[in-house]
Amino acid sequence: SLQGDAHFVDILEQMGCTVIRTADYLEVQGPKQLKGIDEIDMNAVSDTAQTLAAIAPFAETHTHISNNEHVRHKETDRIHAIVTELRKLNVHVDEFPDGVKIYPSKIQPTAIDTYDDHRMAMAFSVIGLVVPGILINNPECTRKTFPDFFDRFEYLYGS
């Protein structure tokens, strides 16, 4: 794929996932337990940092996202938004100028604010696959880039 975000599967591999690569698709199979990543430079795939942040609390060790300071100047300050929403979920997280360190945590259900940022809505919705009771405020913000995201997402888990 010409889409740089497709390299996110490399990060998932580091976390213990099995990745199947073909000419037509990428398939990811999760392990029984994700592994944390001691430090991951997210500069080249910065738009996927929120997704990594959403799954990091489920890993057996911490995950440290670094070299991502420029995402503070996207639709919202994405680093601050990640920290704020993870803390609402009862996740232990440290904030740095260029990233975050996220620790394994028992997530409590809550409503997630999206800051009118489509990537916040899409990334944090993944938590709802594991933890019931996750509500995404302003899901319409995904219309910017992926108008039918929640319809497709719902199809994935067969609701």
Side-chain angles (χ1 to χ4, degrees), residues 3 5 45-51 54 71 74-76 78 82 112-126 136 141-142 144-145 149:
Q3 176 66 27
D5 290 357
V45 288
S46 61
D47 283 340
T48 64
Q50 289 140 301
T51 304
V71 301
K74 296 277 190 167
E75 287 82 346
T76 189
R78 288 181 172 170
I82 286 169
I112 299 297
D113 290 315
T114 62
Y115 307 83
D116 207 27
D117 184 339
H118 59 285
R119 291 198 182 262
M120 285 295 293
M122 293 186 287
F124 277 75
S125 65
V126 172
I136 304 297
C141 69
T142 61
K144 173 181 180 178
T145 56
F149 172 79

Side-chain angles (χ1 to χ4, degrees), residues 52-84:
L52 179 55
I55 65 172
F58 299 105
E60 61 188 3
T61 58
H62 77 266
T63 296
H64 182 178
I65 297 169
S66 66
N67 197 19
N68 210 23
E69 186 171 5
H70 64 280
V71 301
R72 289 189 180 275
H73 310 287
K74 296 277 190 167
E75 287 82 346
T76 189
D77 176 343
R78 288 181 172 170
I79 291 174
H80 182 71
I82 286 169
V83 170
T84 301

